[in-house]
């Protein structure tokens, strides 16, 4: 990867995964895509999203924004995180993860993630059940990035584990990773904008929001149009292209609310609810696209 490609990958927030996976494939050390690899990468990427959806829902709930929706979302997201994490370790027929994980390094990575997840789970469940202390509420808002970082490490480990030296296979798994990260970024923006509105770490959260918006826009553009510099191909079929068009439309609807917050404005409760729900809609439609990428990857036959 040359310097220009490195800079572009960094702007997309994907440089680490891109470089380690490319190096792994070039050395001929990668394994054949098997064992529901595309589903494992998809669901590990979903853990990144849930790590941010949980504090977003908790923040909006605490501020009285769409309380019924935020409460339901918080409880469901916490339960889903636990289900997916257990499935990645032990297998889950319902999630189409057919077998328990056997790779020792991946199991260690899962164990690290679980150790960081467990206290967040307990605090999130307390917030959802309206039994949280001030410490529980602070923990959900302030410690979620440690869970996100551990989830990202799991994604990177799985991409390393399952990438095939075949360039087509590598490219397809990278698209699942990047599109899956887009789901997370919608929720990270939701969380950061809520924290700004709540007056929590306002300057830092505003800087974070600006960076997250930029990464989301850069990545969405790359997915929709392709970006040869970092090996991102255009959509492999019309269905994915149409799905990405819908995400672009969603983003154009919700971006003005985020820009208003970013530049120091305040949203009234109705607008804040539209922002919260709009980013959730963007996430849902992006999640559909990730499933399309995973389905396309499952049809590929590695060239040995």
């Amino acid at each position: 990867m040359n310097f220009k490609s490195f800079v572009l990958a960094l702007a997309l927030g994907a440089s680490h995964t891109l470089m380690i996976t490319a190096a792994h494939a070039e050395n001929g050390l990668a394994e054949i895509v098997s064992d529901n690899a595309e589903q494992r990468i998809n669901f590990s990427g979903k853990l990144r999203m849930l790590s941010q959806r949980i504090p977003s829902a908790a923040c909006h709930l605490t501020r009285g924004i769409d309380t019924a929706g935020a409460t339901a979302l918080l409880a469901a997201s916490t339960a889903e995180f636990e289900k997916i994490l257990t499935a990645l370790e032990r297998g889950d027929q319902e999630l189409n993860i057919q077998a328990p994980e056997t790779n020792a390094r991946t199991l260690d990575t899962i164990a690290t993630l679980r150790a960081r997840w467990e206290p967040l789970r307990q605090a999130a469940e307390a917030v959802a059940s309206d039994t949280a202390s001030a410490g529980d509420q602070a923990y959900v808002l302030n410690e979620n990035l440690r869970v996100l970082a551990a989830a990202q490490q799991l994604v990177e480990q799985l991409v390393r584990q399952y990438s095939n030296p075949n360039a087509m296979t590598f490219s397809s798994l990278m698209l699942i990773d990047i599109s899956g990260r887009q789901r997370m970024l919608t929720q990270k923006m939701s969380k950061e904008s809520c924290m700004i509105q709540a007056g929590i770490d306002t300057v830092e959260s505003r800087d974070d929001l600006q960076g997250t918006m930029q990464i989301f826009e850069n990545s969405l553009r790359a997915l929709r149009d392709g970006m040869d510099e970092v090996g991102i191909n255009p959509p492999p079929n019309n269905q994915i292209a149409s799905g990405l068009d819908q995400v672009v439309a969603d983003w154009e609807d919700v971006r003005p609310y985020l820009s208003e917050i970013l530049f120091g404005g305040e949203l009234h409760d109705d607008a804040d609810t539209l922002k919260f729900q709009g980013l959730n809609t963007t996430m849902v439609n992006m999640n559909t696209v990730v499933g399309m990428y995973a389905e396309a990857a499952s049809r590929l036959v590695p060239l040995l």
Side-chain angles (χ1 to χ4, degrees):
M1 178 177 288
N2 60 32
F3 181 74
K4 180 180 179 183
S5 296
F6 175 84
V7 172
L8 285 167
L10 186 62
L12 291 172
S15 59
H16 190 205
T17 302
L18 288 171
M19 288 187 291
I20 60 176
T21 308
H24 192 68
E26 288 170 2
N27 290 333
L29 299 175
E31 300 179 19
I32 299 172
V33 174
S34 61
D35 212 10
N36 306 113
E38 68 285 344
Q39 289 296 341
R40 291 177 187 271
I41 293 169
N42 178 9
F43 279 113
S44 65
K46 198 168 188 180
L47 292 179
R48 294 181 298 196
M49 180 275 289
L50 292 169
S51 79
Q52 299 304 287
R53 172 169 266 196
I54 288 166
S56 169
C59 180
H60 286 88
L61 173 59
T62 301
R63 292 183 51 240
I65 303 299
D66 188 13
T67 54
T71 300
L73 199 60
L74 177 57
S77 298
T78 304
E80 187 175 14
F81 192 110
E82 179 64 28
K83 180 177 177 64
I84 291 172
L85 184 58
T86 300
L88 289 170
E89 181 179 11
R90 302 176 187 174
D92 188 318
Q93 295 292 320
E94 183 180 351
L95 297 184
N96 195 28
I97 299 176
Q98 301 296 333
E101 182 58 66
T102 58
N103 183 285
R105 184 172 295 179
T106 300
L107 288 170
D108 286 345
T109 307
I110 290 172
T112 298
L113 174 54
R114 182 168 289 284
R116 295 185 182 180
W117 159 243
E118 189 59 28
L120 184 66
R121 179 188 65 78
Q122 294 177 11
E125 288 177 347
V127 175
S129 62
D130 197 25
T131 60
S133 66
D136 290 328
Q137 293 173 342
Y139 194 93
V140 172
L141 292 180
N142 295 325
E143 299 299 326
N144 58 83
L145 291 177
R146 296 179 70 249
V147 177
L148 173 58
Q152 175 62 29
Q153 290 172 354
L154 179 57
V155 174
E156 293 178 0
Q157 169 57 26
L158 287 169
V159 172
R160 273 194 299 260
Q161 179 178 340
Y162 288 111
S163 291
N164 189 271
N166 180 329
M168 181 66 73
T169 301
F170 166 61
S171 176
S172 68
L173 295 185
M174 185 174 68
L175 287 169
I176 297 172
D177 179 10
I178 294 173
S179 61
R181 192 189 61 238
Q182 291 290 86
R183 295 177 297 197
M184 177 273 292
L185 293 174
T186 67
Q187 300 307 293
K188 190 168 184 285
M189 289 185 285
S190 184
K191 177 197 73 175
E192 290 161 353
S193 61
C194 182
M195 291 178 70
I196 293 169
Q197 291 283 87
I200 302 172
D201 297 329
T202 305
V203 175
E204 182 178 350
S205 295
R206 186 169 282 115
D207 289 343
D208 290 343
L209 177 59
Q210 183 174 26
T212 307
M213 290 173 67
Q214 189 62 58
I215 293 171
F216 183 87
E217 287 193 328
N218 287 347
S219 300
L220 185 56
R221 187 181 308 115
L223 289 169
R224 184 60 189 85
D225 301 327
M227 185 175 285
D228 290 340
E229 295 91 334
V230 291
I232 299 176
N233 295 325
N237 57 54
N238 291 334
Q239 185 183 30
I240 291 176
S242 295
L244 287 168
D245 285 342
Q246 180 59 59
V247 175
V248 170
D250 295 337
W251 175 239
E252 290 176 351
D253 286 341
V254 78
R255 179 172 50 188
Y257 297 119
L258 295 171
S259 296
E260 180 70 20
I261 295 170
L262 182 63
F263 294 110
E266 293 188 6
L267 300 182
H268 296 299
D269 286 357
D270 288 348
D272 216 345
T273 298
L274 289 173
K275 178 217 69 177
F276 177 51
Q277 295 175 346
L279 283 168
N280 288 331
T281 298
T282 309
M283 193 290 298
V284 169
N285 288 328
M286 193 69 232
N287 185 59
T288 299
V289 172
V290 180
M292 295 176 189
Y293 275 121
E295 176 63 23
S298 71
R299 298 194 192 103
L300 292 176
V301 179
L303 300 179
L304 304 181

